[in-house]
């Protein structure tokens, strides 16, 4: 059975746990719609890096994209 050699102090225990915190997600703002989204993901309205790549469900919809699908 494994037995620790010496007891770890509170300081050493806390230093080990210093990197175990939960990180906040990285959020970007689309330059075209000013909509926030996760990095490397498209926005709710279908934009990625200022270009509409998917016809989205979001509040922003151009007349060209709406009429082009019909």
């Amino acid at each position: 059975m494994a037995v620790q050699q010496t007891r770890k102090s509170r300081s050493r225990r806390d230093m080990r746990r210093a990197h175990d915190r939960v990180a906040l997600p990285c959020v970007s703002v689309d330059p075209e719609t000013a909509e926030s989204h996760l990095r490397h993901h498209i926005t709710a309205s279908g934009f990625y890096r200022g270009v509409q790549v998917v016809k989205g469900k979001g509040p922003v919809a151009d007349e060209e994209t709406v009429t082009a699908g019909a």
Side-chain angles (χ1 to χ4, degrees):
M1 187 162 102
V3 178
Q4 68 183 24
Q5 296 298 311
T6 57
R7 179 181 171 151
K8 298 290 189 260
S9 67
R10 278 178 262 144
S11 175
R12 287 194 182 272
R13 178 199 64 199
D14 294 341
M15 282 191 283
R16 185 183 68 245
R17 294 178 181 172
H19 302 288
D20 293 343
R21 67 190 179 278
V22 176
L24 295 174
C26 294
V27 177
S28 293
V29 176
D30 187 64
E32 189 72 25
T33 61
E35 189 176 359
S36 60
H37 60 93
L38 290 177
R39 301 278 292 171
H40 302 101
H41 287 72
I42 64 172
T43 63
S45 56
F47 281 85
Y48 182 73
R49 297 181 69 183
V51 178
Q52 187 163 17
V53 292
V54 176
K55 187 176 177 182
K57 303 179 202 174
V60 176
D62 294 338
E63 287 296 322
E64 298 174 45
T65 58
V66 174
T67 56

